[in-house]
Structure formats: C-alpha cells, structure tokens
Amino acid sequence: MSNAKTKILARLAGQSDISVELPKLTGDWIQYTDPVEQFCDTAIEISACVHLANGRDDCTELINRLVCMDTAEMVCCCAADVEVASLVLSSVADPHELELLDVFIAEGKIGVAENGAIWVDDHDIAHRAALFLTQHLVLIIKSGKILNNLTEAYSSGVMDFSRFGCWISGPSKTADIEQSLVIGAHGARTLDIIVILDE
Amino acid sequence: MATRNTPHPTLAKRFVADRDRAHWHDESLWFIREKRDLQAHGLPEWEELRARAAQIKKHSVSNLAEYLLQFEKRATALGVTVHWANDAEEHNQIVLGILRSHGVKRVVKSKSMLTEECHLNPFLEHHGLEVVDTDLGERIVQLRNESPSHIVIPAIHIRKEEVGALFSEKLGTETGATDPKYLTEAARQHLRQKFLQADAGITGVNFAIAETGGIVVCTNEGNADLGVSLPKLHIACMGLEKIIPRVADLGVFLRLLARSATGQPITTYSSHFHGPMYDGEMHVVLLDNGRVEVAQDDDFREALNCIRCGACMNTCPVYRRSGGHSYSATVPGPIGSVLNPLKSPLEHTSLPFACSLCGSCSDVCPVQIPIHHQLYQLRSELKRQGNIKTAKSLQMWFVGMLFRRPRLYRLGGWAARWSLRCFGKLAAFRWLTIWGRQRDLPFPPRVTFRKWHNKNRPTDGGRHV
Ligand code: SF4
C-alpha cells in the first residue's frame, strides 16, 4: 500500500462516527403531462433544434435535409438503420483523423424532459472524440425513451456504467466573455435532435 | 512560517476605486443569481433536493474511508490506476511522474480548482512541460498571467475590451475587436490546435462514484471531453470529498449543480468516465491536503459538502462588490472564507470578516452548508487563537461590556444622543475607525424608545424598562 494511502486511512480511522443515514432516492419528483412535449420545449430553450420523425425512413429523410448536411463533406453516422452516406467510424485508426468531421450522427438511449438532455454512450461509437470534435451533432431519440426527470433515468436500468457515457444538452456554449452567451465553444456548433415518434 | 496575506479590505479598496467596473461586476453576478432563481423556482421539489443532497454528502463525508476504498477497488477493476496524495507537493509529483513515464510534452487541462489549489501549472511548466488551460475563461486568465477570480466563471472580472486587446496580442485577432462571438471563435481555432497536438489531458472531477468506480466531469464548452478523447492519457485530479456513494445520487446532484451555478437545467456535457478509452490509460489522483482534518471537525465538517457551484459567490453582497481577487485565495467568496482560514488561519485572518452575515449564501447553497454560521464561528475561533487585531478586539470587548450593564448602556445612550446633536457627523470618528468612513449618522430622535415604550406600554402586564 502506498505511503500516502496508509497515512490518509490512518487519519480517517480516527473520524468520529456521526452516522448520518444515506437517504432513499425515491420522492415526489417532477412529472409532466406530456414528457415528450416538455423535452422538446426544454431542448429548444437550450439552443437545440428539434425535429419530429414518423419512423426510421422519415428520420433518414429529415437528416438528409438538415441545413448542416448541405455543405458537409465529412459525415459519420453511428445510428442503426439510418441511411446516410457516411464514413465508417470503426475503420478510422486514430481519432485525430476526424479533425475535419462536419456532421456526426448518433442515437441516444434516454432523453430527459426536465433538462432536455440525451444520454449517449460509446457502445456503438468507436471513437468518442467524434461526439465532441464534430462541427455539427445530430442525436436521434425515440419518443418512448423520454423520461420525466434525472432520477427516473438513473433508475431505468438502461444506462451502462462500465463504459463512457455522457448527458448532452444542446450545442456547446460559453458565456465566459462578459456573460454573453456564445454558441459553439469547443464542441459542436449546432445540435439537431430527431425525435422518432412511437408508431 | 505562514505570512499574512494582504487583508481583504485593502485589496477590496483597490477594486472599488474603479466605480464603474465594480458596479458592472456586481450587476453581472446578480444577473446569474437571477437566472439561478428562475431555475430553482421552476422545480417544486427544489428544497427537497437540497435536503437530500446535504444528507448524502454528510453521509459520505462521515464514511470517507469506506467509500474511497470501494471507489479504488471498482475503478481499478475498470482499468484505472488510483493514486493517493497527502498534500499538494505529493500530488504534483505524482502527476509529473505519470506524464514523464509517457514522455509527455504538451498537456491540455480543463477547469479544476484542485489543480489551482496545488499550483500544478507553474510546477509542470517549471519542469519543461507546456500546460494549456482549455476552458475559455481560464485560458483568458492564463494568458494574462492571473488566477481565476471565480470558481465557475474565471474571467468574470475582465471586460471584453481587455479580452480583445489580449487576444490581438497573443492570438493575432484584429485590433480593437471586442465582439464576444468573434473572440470566442478565435479561441476555438487556437485551442483546437492545442487539443490535436496534446499528449495528455488533465481534468478535475465533479463527482466520483464509489459504487461504480467512475468519475463525472461537467462542462458547457466540451473542452474536458476533447482533452481526454484525443490524447490517450487521461489524468483526473480530485479532492477526497468528491466521493458519492451511489451512481443514482447523481440524479440529485446533477439536478442541483448547473441550476445553482449558471441557471441552466444541466450543463451541456456531463460526462461519466468509467475506465480509460479504448487503447488508452486513465489515472485518478485522490488528494487530502487538509480535507481529512475538516472531515473530523464537528463544527465545520459540512464545509466539505461543497460541490463548487459558485452560487454563494454570485449572491454575496461582499463578493459582488469586492471581486474574487480581493480574497487572495483559490476559492474566494463565502465558502472560500470558510475553507481557507480552516486550513491556514494566519494567512487568511481577514476573510471571515469579509461578510455582513446576511445569510444569503446559506439560502442558495444547494447542499445546505450553513456558511454564514460557520463564518461567524470562525471569527470567535480566530479571536481565541489571538489572530485578531487589537482595535477590533477592543471594540468588541467594549460593546460586550456595555450590553451587559443596563445603567451604563443608558448613560451611553444619553451621551451618544448628546454628541450627535452637538457634533453631528464628526461623532462617527471617521479619523479613528474604519466603520465611520462610509457612514452618515442620523439625527437623534426627540423621544427615546425607552421613554416612548414606558408611556405607551399596555397596562395589563407590559413591563416598565
Ligand atoms: S458552498 Fe454551496 S453555494 Fe458555495 S460553491 Fe459550495 S455548493 Fe455552491
């Protein structure tokens, strides 16, 4: 055992036991009559663009018509069943090769109505850098995967805590210069969210 | 031997000398406080969330050993190397050791108050490494050779004209340009190159999860993620108190953090790192640096609940009007005025007094730290340790004595009214006390409260005083 570890643990051993109980996480947390609508409203408020799609085909069509796709040269899609001409991420050896990535498309596992965030993990994404390096990000979420609040999300059993995962809400932003909000700090300049409505 | 820092009032005086700037600073922070209020009021369960968060933190701080060991075990199983450090010196050596063993030359760093606390940047630079802060605000203060003046908004004290001049000198932007959009774009281009060239990324840690061995880092800019997704080496530095027991506790903390910090429902990116990236390496450094001592202090333990949201700074009337640099400390503002004197009382004697005891900090704190009570208590502690100037002690002794003796108090009241009437403003003793310098004195009332009360008191039992 490292010296510092022994010392720190020895110091902690003398800690007086004030035994405060660990509280339960169940509670009267916020519920919405229409979580999907609330999700869309919140996402728009935090500068994302939201599009509603009826099924996968519609989703493909919507994506191909997005403004960010107009001039895009390098596009990469990691979402299943979306037909977009794209680079295969797993064939890229080094994430540095994604420097010029224009559009990245991925599918989220959960959406949260209270904060407009989408949970994305790197299960289907060979280089997580793509999520942050891309100029424009497109996230797909099924309306049935939209929950009311974060507590519901963490207890949904859908999140995988053995790999990288991230809540993404809106495009990257900063207000570090005189509190003026600027969209497009280091990460994506725009975020398009495609909500696939339940058939 | 610790030396006293320049006291807060002296530095604050310099800050307020520029009236316009001080006023602007005050307003910018209040604007954020208002955004926070909107978010807090938008959630009916806000107070319940605060209570739960406080309880989770209290529980983990009182069971640190258990949770740290659990975290170490789980993180190790995910392929992370966990290091322990007693103090800043050890912390820096560990980080340097890791970087050297990989032959690293260029490091990108995202915002971390802990590495500021350890002065990691100058240490690494001294050893020949390039360290680039990638949070926009932090990059601005780094290019100015300054330290952050706020823990969430490091460059809150700097005007856009100054950023424009700085960038035109260092990054070659157009002279005279002040548009935040243009300046941010220039920083984006400049830092993209740094991300792509970096050999290693260093981040702070917002939460470390004992149950899963993961860490969570929250940013709006995406700089932390870029910094540890391009280079293969990720070093995360954290204070021991960042540990939380369960991953689901994040459902409480992430709902509070960004709402309290900037009035957003959640930060743009809340990244959960469980193990290194494919083909990469990840290290976590656990730092004590005085935290264990606070964890054992029954009076101040709750100060370790802090999730560094900055809300207490945004609301504090003293911080808003005196600026972060007046505190001469990595963490300024109300919570800094607790944490710094706890660690080195001699250096930071003036901080617990940089407070009007209005209690606004305790009201907004998402983890319910009784900050203003702690500040009050610290004052008596400093007095007991003999760390308080004679003038202040003498005043306190005098007032205390007066309040204990009703007759003397009455006589004093009479004398005060008399001198107010005869000498007016002179009675504030401007030349003698700091207190009188910014104050005007009222004209004394014709009838004293005591006289009035004795005349008007209810006849059934009202007391004659
Ligand atoms: S003391 Fe409370 S309000 Fe202040 S930074 Fe810490 S958590 Fe936020």
Side-chain angles (χ1 to χ4, degrees):
Chain A
M1 216 176 353
S2 83
N3 194 9
K5 180 177 170 185
T6 324
K7 278 194 190 151
I8 290 170
L9 290 176
R11 280 201 292 275
L12 280 170
Q15 203 177 7
S16 68
D17 177 29
I18 52 158
S19 54
V20 181
E21 255 190 69
L22 188 59
K24 287 205 183 71
L25 294 170
T26 43
D28 206 359
W29 313 130
I30 200 160
Q31 305 287 316
Y32 300 95
T33 34
D34 186 348
V36 176
E37 193 186 331
Q38 174 69 31
F39 171 83
C40 298
D41 289 349
T42 319
I44 291 165
E45 235 168 82
I46 51 180
S47 315
C49 283
V50 182
H51 316 264
L52 302 178
N54 292 307
R56 288 275 160 185
D57 296 340
D58 196 20
C59 173
T60 299
E61 219 186 296
L62 264 170
I63 291 177
N64 282 308
R65 273 193 280 123
L66 288 174
V67 180
C68 64
M69 291 291 280
D70 277 357
T71 51
E73 279 172 17
M74 193 179 192
V75 178
C76 178
C77 175
C78 287
D81 305 323
V82 176
E83 266 141 59
V84 178
S86 116
L87 173 93
V88 181
L89 198 57
S90 52
S91 69
V92 172
D94 180 335
H96 289 80
E97 291 167 32
L98 301 167
E99 185 186 348
L100 299 176
L101 185 61
D102 291 304
V103 179
F104 183 60
I105 305 158
E107 177 146 358
K109 305 247 154 96
I110 302 180
V112 179
E114 69 158 317
N115 57 25
I118 296 179
W119 177 255
V120 187
D121 68 28
D122 67 354
H123 189 269
D124 305 312
I125 302 176
H127 297 289
R128 69 185 187 212
L131 283 165
F132 311 104
L133 204 52
T134 185
Q135 298 292 333
H136 304 279
L137 182 62
V138 180
L139 292 178
I140 301 167
I141 183 79
K142 290 195 197 107
S143 64
K145 299 278 161 101
I146 293 174
L147 305 175
N148 288 289
N149 55 60
L150 267 187
T151 312
E152 282 179 12
Y154 280 101
S155 51
S156 65
V158 178
M159 297 166 78
D160 178 354
F161 300 114
S162 62
R163 56 171 59 252
F164 176 81
C166 183
W167 289 115
I168 297 183
S169 85
S172 83
K173 51 183 91 64
T174 181
D176 272 351
I177 302 177
E178 287 207 4
Q179 286 308 295
S180 326
L181 180 68
V182 179
I183 306 292
H186 299 304
R189 296 174 190 273
T190 61
L191 172 66
D192 284 289
I193 299 175
I194 318 278
V195 179
I196 302 187
L197 299 169
D198 278 344
E199 280 105 46
Chain B
M1 174 66 204
T3 47
R4 239 175 239 271
N5 285 333
T6 316
H8 179 275
T10 315
L11 294 170
K13 198 171 169 184
R14 279 178 221 161
F15 184 83
V16 294
D18 186 344
R19 275 183 152 244
D20 289 342
R21 181 187 287 264
H23 184 66
W24 163 78
H25 186 265
D26 179 12
E27 304 243 290
S28 316
L29 286 154
W30 189 251
F31 169 68
I32 308 169
R33 156 75 210 259
E34 284 176 328
K35 286 206 295 180
R36 172 248 169 230
D37 288 353
L38 274 179
Q39 284 293 335
H41 299 157
L43 270 190
E45 64 258 40
W46 185 254
E47 290 306 319
E48 182 57 29
L49 282 172
R50 289 178 71 217
R52 299 274 178 111
Q55 213 184 331
I56 297 169
K57 276 286 179 179
K58 271 192 227 167
H59 171 84
S60 17
V61 169
S62 53
N63 294 281
L64 275 179
E66 178 194 334
Y67 287 125
L68 287 169
L69 287 171
Q70 192 187 354
F71 172 79
E72 185 185 39
K73 200 169 142 205
R74 298 283 147 79
T76 312
L78 290 169
V80 177
T81 314
V82 179
H83 307 259
W84 302 64
N86 280 304
D87 52 29
E89 168 67 31
E90 274 183 30
H91 166 270
N92 292 351
Q93 287 295 351
I94 291 170
V95 175
L96 180 67
I98 303 168
L99 295 173
R100 280 217 168 130
S101 71
H102 287 76
V104 169
K105 296 214 168 55
R106 300 194 190 94
V107 183
V108 281
K109 203 167 127 269
S110 68
K111 197 161 63 205
S112 145
M113 281 305 122
L114 181 122
T115 55
E116 292 282 344
E117 168 187 332
C118 295
H119 303 290
L120 181 69
N121 282 15
F123 175 82
L124 293 180
E125 280 161 4
H126 177 76
H127 286 89
L129 286 120
E130 180 194 78
V131 188
V132 174
D133 280 318
T134 55
D135 171 84
L136 176 58
E138 264 212 318
R139 186 65 182 148
I140 294 171
V141 295
Q142 187 185 35
L143 288 172
R144 281 167 58 109
N145 281 321
E146 273 182 2
S147 57
S149 72
H150 187 290
I151 59 174
V152 174
I153 324 144
I156 186 80
H157 61 291
I158 301 169
R159 309 214 66 153
K160 58 179 188 235
E161 290 78 17
E162 294 167 302
V163 179
L166 179 77
F167 278 13
S168 115
E169 184 199 328
K170 310 265 180 181
L171 310 182
T173 53
E174 279 168 46
T175 35
T178 59
D179 176 24
K181 228 177 141 188
Y182 168 77
L183 296 172
T184 303
E185 181 61 32
R188 176 184 169 104
Q189 301 301 344
H190 157 71
L191 287 165
R192 280 237 151 187
Q193 290 317 308
K194 298 291 179 193
F195 286 123
L196 289 162
Q197 291 161 357
D199 310 308
I202 298 181
T203 67
V205 170
N206 288 93
F207 305 97
I209 313 147
E211 181 188 19
T212 61
I215 60 155
V216 176
V217 181
C218 305
T219 72
N220 276 325
E221 300 182 5
N223 55 318
D225 298 286
L226 274 175
V228 298
S229 300
L230 286 166
K232 294 203 181 302
L233 177 60
H234 175 186
I235 306 176
C237 305
M238 62 176 266
L240 302 177
E241 83 285 12
K242 289 282 179 263
I243 199 97
I244 56 170
R246 305 163 292 196
V247 69
D249 292 327
L250 290 166
V252 174
F253 290 110
L254 292 183
R255 299 182 78 191
L256 290 165
L257 179 61
R259 285 187 170 95
S260 301
T262 50
Q264 294 168 262
I266 188 169
T267 45
T268 305
Y269 305 100
S270 311
S271 299
H272 300 42
F273 296 92
H274 284 90
M277 67 188 225
Y278 168 74
D279 214 11
E281 205 175 303
M282 181 172 165
H283 296 258
V284 174
V285 188
L286 302 169
L287 174 70
D288 174 2
N289 213 23
R291 287 165 174 81
V292 172
E293 216 172 301
V294 181
Q296 282 165 333
D297 190 326
D298 289 338
D299 293 330
F300 294 102
R301 180 178 299 122
E302 281 164 289
L304 293 183
N305 289 6
C306 178
I307 54 172
R308 302 285 191 271
C309 72
C312 57
M313 288 155 217
N314 305 343
T315 200
C316 175
V318 178
Y319 176 90
R320 280 189 278 122
R321 290 175 178 80
S322 62
H325 286 153
S326 300
Y327 293 78
S328 304
T330 309
V331 179
I335 190 65
S337 302
V338 174
L339 292 171
N340 296 297
L342 276 180
K343 181 140 186 281
S344 13
L346 256 182
E347 279 169 60
H348 300 284
T349 321
S350 70
L351 297 192
F353 297 91
C355 162
S356 65
L357 295 179
C358 71
S360 183
C361 47
S362 312
D363 284 345
V364 298
C365 176
V367 283
Q368 293 186 327
I369 305 175
I371 311 174
H372 73 293
H373 291 289
Q374 296 189 338
L375 286 168
Y376 179 68
Q377 200 175 336
L378 266 171
R379 294 181 185 183
S380 20
E381 209 115 302
L382 288 170
K383 163 95 174 69
R384 249 193 325 108
Q385 296 167 1
N387 272 333
I388 290 184
K389 277 209 197 133
T390 339
K392 198 164 251 158
S393 296
L394 219 66
Q395 276 175 16
M396 289 299 161
W397 170 83
F398 178 74
V399 174
M401 183 213 49
L402 206 61
F403 284 177
R404 276 194 304 265
R405 293 175 176 75
R407 284 227 194 114
L408 200 62
Y409 178 80
R410 232 173 273 170
L411 184 72
W414 175 82
R417 281 189 301 279
W418 181 79
S419 49
L420 265 181
R421 220 163 271 141
C422 301
F423 302 118
K425 283 186 183 174
L426 274 180
F429 296 120
R430 289 177 190 224
W431 38 274
L432 195 67
T433 70
I434 314 174
W435 186 87
R437 253 163 242 164
Q438 273 111 34
R439 284 173 172 86
D440 270 338
L441 293 175
F443 200 74
R446 299 216 165 273
V447 184
T448 67
F449 173 73
R450 203 164 51 83
K451 263 195 197 147
W452 178 90
H453 175 80
N454 286 339
K455 207 168 126 208
N456 294 294
R457 76 198 150 104
T459 39
D460 52 341
R463 218 174 123 221
H464 186 96
V465 290

